[in-house]
């Protein structure tokens, strides 16, 4: 039942008998079929390999075109140099050389331009080539920066990145790389270095300032503080707190809101808290005066100034401020108010007048007697108030009083309604904070003048009576002794009146002097 291949051959015969020769070609046929199969497989394999090679060649061409396009559009200059003798010959330079150096590629390829000879700024050649040579010797990539001079004469900083290409024997056959313009980065780097140096300087300055601030806070006449945003946790208190309050820093640190609850005088605690909270709400600084009770139960007046510190989101970070003892200032302020009250209510008229005739101050008695208001004295000059004065006369009087004080000059004062009354004027010039002032003390002597008139009238009547007494001397002899007695009594009265006048004048002088001293 086995099938075999055979070959049938017929031979022509002279007889009618057919002659057939049958050859067994089974083995040969099998070999032939196997050969045809192998040949067909081989053809298919060759076709497949041919198509694959064509595809690879096509991809390689595309890669070469893409690589060439990449090199041509590269931001910088791609290059390939090959060693030739003791020098390097440019085999390839990309078109980016024109933008980077100003020289076209053929200037490098022809050998007209050499990087180390014509581009690298003098003084950098040895260091650059030394670094590249070391990397080539160690068969490592090199990455070196140096400045070049372009064709236009401008200076650029470049980053040269490259690698050596070696054959199978390990011999260097080419040098390939790319040069990139890093001028902007170099400028930024220099700026950064300068900024870092400036930061270091600022840091040193801040450290110095912090040291100075620490010294300042230590020597501060008062107490500096810093409280966190909960307005409870005390972060810092200066050493002055002990001198100010009698309490140590630890005593204030360890107790919640110790200063607000135990040191600020009780009736002022709400006012202080409200003032600080309002300032924080409005993001403003605050200043407030209030009394405190020290550890030894003494009362002091202090002034507190502070400010809230806020972050970019407007949230409170901390509260900082300082507190100063103003007890002495408060006492001086009280004395000053007392002195001012004394001058304001003095029983004589007091006026402060500047050289140009402007009133700097008048007391209540002046307002009362002159009938002019405070607004009148603010708006008017002295020669506009006093009808006997002119601007020229006032300037002359002012200069005279610089040379010598005026003492008890009798004059007439004219009120706003035109009525007049007699006065005694004492005046002097003083210098205060670079300005000159004429200080006048004016006494109303209306009553004194009345007494003088009464004395004059009495003297006239006495003269008339004396003449009559001469004519009636004989008739009134018996009354002579009584008259002499009355005359002596009258003379005594006159003497007492004169003495009283002198005492009154002396009293007014002393009052004026007292007011002047109080004013000063």
């Amino acid at each position: 039942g086995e099938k075999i291949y055979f070959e049938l051959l017929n031979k022509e015969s002279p007889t009618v008998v057919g002659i057939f020769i049958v050859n067994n070609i089974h083995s040969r046929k099998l070999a032939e079929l196997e050969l045809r199969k192998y040949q067909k497989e081989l053809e298919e394999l060759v076709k497949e390999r041919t198509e694959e090679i064509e595809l690879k060649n096509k991809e390689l061409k595309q890669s070469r075109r893409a690589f060439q396009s990449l090199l041509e559009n590269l931001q910088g200059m791609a290059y390939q140099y090959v060693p030739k003798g003791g020098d390097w010959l440019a085999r390839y330079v990309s078109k980016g050389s024109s933008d980077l150096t100003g020289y076209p590629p053929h200037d490098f390829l022809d050998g007209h331009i050499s990087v180390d000879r014509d581009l690298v700024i003098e003084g950098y050649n040895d260091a650059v080539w030394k670094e590249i040579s070391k990397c080539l010797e160690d068969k490592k990539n090199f990455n070196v920066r140096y400045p070049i001079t372009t064709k236009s004469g401008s200076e650029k900083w470049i980053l040269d990145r490259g690698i050596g290409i070696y054959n199978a024997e390990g011999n260097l056959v080419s040098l390939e790389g790319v040069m990139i313009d890093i001028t902007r980065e170099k400028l930024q780097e220099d700026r950064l270095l300068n900024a870092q140096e400036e930061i270091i300087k600022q840091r040193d300055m801040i450290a110095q300032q912090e040291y100075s601030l620490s010294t300042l806070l230590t020597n501060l006449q008062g107490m500096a503080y810093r409280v966190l945003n909960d307005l409870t946790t005390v972060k810092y208190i200066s050493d002055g707190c002990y001198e100010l309050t009698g309490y140590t820093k630890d005593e204030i640190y360890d107790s919640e809101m110790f200063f607000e609850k135990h040191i600020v005088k009780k009736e002022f605690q709400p006012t202080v808290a409200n003032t600080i909270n309002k300032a924080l709400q409005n993001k403003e600084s605050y200043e407030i005066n209030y009394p405190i009770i020290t550890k030894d139960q003494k009362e002091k007046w202090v002034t507190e100034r502070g400010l809230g510190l806020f972050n970019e989101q407007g949230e409170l970070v901390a509260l900082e401020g300082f507190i100063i003892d103003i007890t002495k200032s408060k006492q001086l302020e009280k004395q000053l108010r007392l002195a001012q009250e004394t001058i304001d209510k003095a029983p004589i008229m007091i006026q402060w007048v500047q050289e140009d005739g402007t009133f700097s101050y008048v007391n209540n008695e002046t307002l009362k007697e002159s009938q002019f208001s405070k607004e009148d004295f603010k708006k008017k000059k002295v020669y506009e108030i006093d009808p006997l004065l002119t601007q020229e006369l006032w300037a002359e009087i002012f200069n005279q009083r610089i040379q010598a004080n005026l003492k008890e000059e009798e004059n007439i004062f004219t009120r706003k309604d035109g009525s007049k009354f007699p006065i005694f004027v004492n005046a002097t010039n003083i210098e205060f904070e670079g300005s000159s002032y004429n200080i006048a003390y004016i006494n109303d002597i209306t009553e004194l003048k009345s007494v003088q008139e009464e004395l004059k009238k009495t003297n006239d009547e006495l003269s008339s009576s004396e003449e009559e007494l001469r004519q009636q001397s004989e008739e009134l002899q018996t009354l002579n002794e009584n008259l002499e007695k009355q005359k002596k009594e009258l003379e005594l009265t006159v003497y007492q009146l004169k003495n009283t006048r002198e005492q009154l004048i002396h009293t007014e002088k002393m009052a004026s002097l007292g007011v002047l001293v109080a004013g000063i």
Side-chain angles (χ1 to χ4, degrees):
E2 184 182 357
K3 296 180 180 181
I4 61 171
Y5 287 94
F6 63 89
E7 182 182 41
L8 179 62
L9 298 175
N10 65 327
K11 297 282 187 177
E12 292 184 358
S13 172
T15 65
V16 293
V17 177
I19 299 173
F20 294 90
I21 299 173
V22 180
N23 293 324
N24 186 350
I25 59 170
H26 185 72
S27 297
R28 189 183 71 180
K29 188 64 176 180
L30 289 178
E32 182 181 341
L33 290 175
E34 187 68 25
L35 181 60
R36 287 180 181 177
K37 180 181 178 182
Y38 177 75
Q39 183 177 3
K40 186 176 179 181
E41 290 178 354
L42 184 61
E43 289 176 351
E44 290 178 353
L45 182 61
V46 169
K47 183 180 178 181
E48 183 179 343
R49 290 284 187 263
T50 302
E51 290 177 351
E52 185 176 346
I53 289 172
E54 289 178 351
L55 181 61
K56 293 292 184 182
N57 287 333
K58 187 176 180 181
E59 290 177 353
L60 182 60
K61 289 179 181 179
Q62 291 177 348
S63 297
R64 285 178 177 175
R65 285 197 299 269
F67 182 69
Q68 188 68 25
S69 177
L70 176 64
L71 290 177
E72 298 300 334
N73 296 313
L74 183 68
Q75 292 294 324
M77 183 182 93
Y79 61 83
Q80 183 186 51
Y81 279 84
V82 294
K84 185 178 181 181
D87 204 353
W88 291 88
L89 179 65
R91 178 70 62 83
Y92 171 81
V93 174
S94 68
K95 292 181 179 180
S97 65
S98 298
D99 293 332
L100 182 66
T101 68
Y103 297 101
H106 60 78
D107 283 348
F108 294 91
L109 297 174
D110 295 343
H112 295 157
I113 298 297
S114 172
V115 175
D116 57 346
R117 183 184 70 241
D118 303 306
L119 296 182
V120 180
I121 291 179
E122 186 176 357
Y124 285 86
N125 277 319
D126 293 340
V128 170
W129 183 244
K130 183 178 180 180
E131 186 171 348
I132 293 176
S133 298
K134 187 176 186 306
C135 291
L136 293 177
E137 187 177 326
D138 297 338
K139 294 184 179 181
K140 295 180 180 180
N141 295 355
F142 59 85
N143 192 342
V144 61
R145 300 190 305 174
Y146 51 86
I148 64 170
T149 303
T150 65
K151 187 175 182 179
S152 64
S154 62
E155 181 179 315
K156 286 184 179 180
W157 275 83
I158 65 168
L159 174 63
D160 192 350
R161 291 178 176 175
I163 188 173
I165 305 300
Y166 302 87
N167 58 19
E169 288 77 25
N171 298 321
L172 181 65
V173 296
S174 66
L175 185 64
E176 298 178 356
V178 60
M179 297 179 183
I180 303 172
D181 184 359
I182 60 167
T183 305
R184 182 179 298 176
E185 290 79 358
K186 178 64 176 176
L187 291 175
Q188 291 177 346
E189 182 180 337
D190 292 341
R191 289 172 185 168
L192 180 60
L193 290 174
N194 292 335
Q196 288 176 340
E197 291 178 358
E198 186 65 26
I199 289 172
I200 292 173
K201 290 180 181 178
Q202 293 292 335
R203 189 180 300 161
D204 294 340
M205 187 180 298
I206 290 172
Q208 182 64 32
Q209 289 176 349
E210 287 178 349
Y211 175 76
S212 300
L213 182 60
S214 176
T215 304
L216 176 64
L217 291 176
T218 301
N219 298 320
L220 182 68
Q221 293 296 321
M223 181 185 90
Y225 65 84
R226 179 184 177 93
V227 182
L228 297 185
N229 55 359
D230 58 3
L231 301 182
T232 299
T233 306
V234 179
K235 190 67 176 177
Y236 172 80
I237 298 178
S238 67
D239 295 334
C241 71
Y242 181 78
E243 183 179 354
L244 181 68
T245 67
Y247 294 97
T248 64
K249 294 191 291 185
D250 293 336
E251 287 178 303
I252 299 177
Y253 280 137
D254 296 340
S255 180
E256 183 177 332
M257 299 185 72
F258 184 84
F259 192 93
E260 292 83 347
K261 293 181 179 179
H262 301 285
I263 299 179
V264 179
K265 198 171 183 179
K266 188 172 182 180
E267 55 265 34
F268 283 83
Q269 290 176 5
T271 303
V272 173
N274 292 336
T275 301
I276 295 176
N277 290 330
K278 184 177 179 181
L280 292 177
Q281 290 175 1
N282 298 329
K283 296 183 179 180
E284 298 174 345
S285 61
Y286 59 87
E287 179 176 353
I288 182 172
N289 299 335
Y290 56 86
I292 63 172
I293 305 299
T294 64
K295 190 173 184 178
D296 56 2
Q297 299 303 308
K298 291 183 179 179
E299 181 175 306
K300 288 184 179 180
W301 273 86
V302 300
T303 181
E304 179 178 355
R305 295 178 182 176
L307 180 68
L309 303 180
F310 299 87
N311 59 21
E312 295 179 354
Q313 290 74 35
E315 299 170 344
L316 180 65
V317 177
L319 181 67
E320 293 183 348
F322 63 92
I323 302 172
I324 299 176
D325 184 358
I326 60 168
T327 304
K328 291 183 179 179
S329 299
K330 202 73 175 175
Q331 292 172 350
L332 291 174
E333 182 182 345
K334 183 178 179 181
Q335 294 175 1
L336 181 61
R337 286 201 306 268
L338 178 60
Q340 185 66 45
E341 188 75 10
T342 303
I343 296 173
D344 286 341
K345 297 182 178 180
I348 61 172
M349 293 187 286
I350 302 175
Q351 301 175 356
W352 289 45
V353 188
Q354 299 181 32
E355 187 174 1
D356 63 354
T358 302
F359 287 92
S360 293
Y361 169 78
V362 293
N363 68 344
N364 297 339
E365 187 71 12
T366 302
L367 300 175
K368 174 184 173 183
E369 294 295 333
S370 68
Q371 299 177 352
F372 288 99
S373 65
K374 282 188 177 181
E375 292 299 320
D376 292 331
F377 282 104
K378 287 180 180 180
K379 294 177 181 179
K380 296 179 181 294
K381 308 287 187 181
V382 65
Y383 44 81
E384 294 173 337
I385 294 288
D386 191 343
L388 300 178
L389 289 177
T390 63
Q391 186 173 356
E392 294 75 14
L393 181 57
W394 168 250
E396 182 180 345
I397 292 173
F398 191 90
N399 292 328
Q400 289 175 355
R401 292 180 184 175
I402 292 177
Q403 304 299 326
N405 296 336
L406 179 66
K407 295 184 178 180
E408 296 184 0
E409 179 182 81
E410 188 173 337
N411 210 327
I412 299 297
F413 192 97
T414 305
R415 296 187 177 94
K416 187 175 183 179
D417 62 1
S419 60
K420 300 179 180 181
F421 60 93
I423 56 174
F424 267 147
V425 180
N426 289 276
T428 184
N429 271 43
I430 65 169
E431 292 286 337
F432 184 72
E433 294 186 350
S435 299
S436 294
Y437 299 89
N438 178 256
I439 312 300
Y441 304 94
I442 304 171
N443 292 285
D444 183 357
I445 58 171
T446 303
E447 294 183 5
L448 183 60
K449 293 295 286 185
S450 298
V451 172
Q452 288 178 344
E453 290 295 329
E454 288 294 330
L455 287 174
K456 184 178 179 182
K457 182 178 179 181
T458 301
N459 286 332
D460 292 341
E461 290 177 354
L462 286 174
S463 298
S464 177
S465 298
E466 187 178 358
E467 184 66 25
E468 291 178 1
L469 286 172
R470 284 195 189 106
Q471 295 175 4
Q472 299 175 2
S473 59
E474 294 179 358
E475 298 177 1
L476 300 176
Q477 186 66 35
T478 55
L479 300 175
N480 187 38
E481 292 180 358
N482 293 332
L483 184 59
E484 283 293 325
K485 186 178 180 181
Q486 291 178 1
K487 183 180 178 181
K488 289 180 181 180
E489 290 176 354
L490 185 59
E491 288 177 350
L492 179 60
T493 301
V494 172
Y495 173 79
Q496 289 177 346
L497 286 174
K498 288 182 178 180
N499 190 35
T500 301
R501 176 179 176 274
E502 291 177 357
Q503 289 180 354
L504 180 59
I505 292 172
H506 182 69
T507 302
E508 293 296 332
K509 288 181 181 180
M510 295 303 293
S512 299
L513 180 59
V515 171
L516 174 60
V517 172
I520 294 174

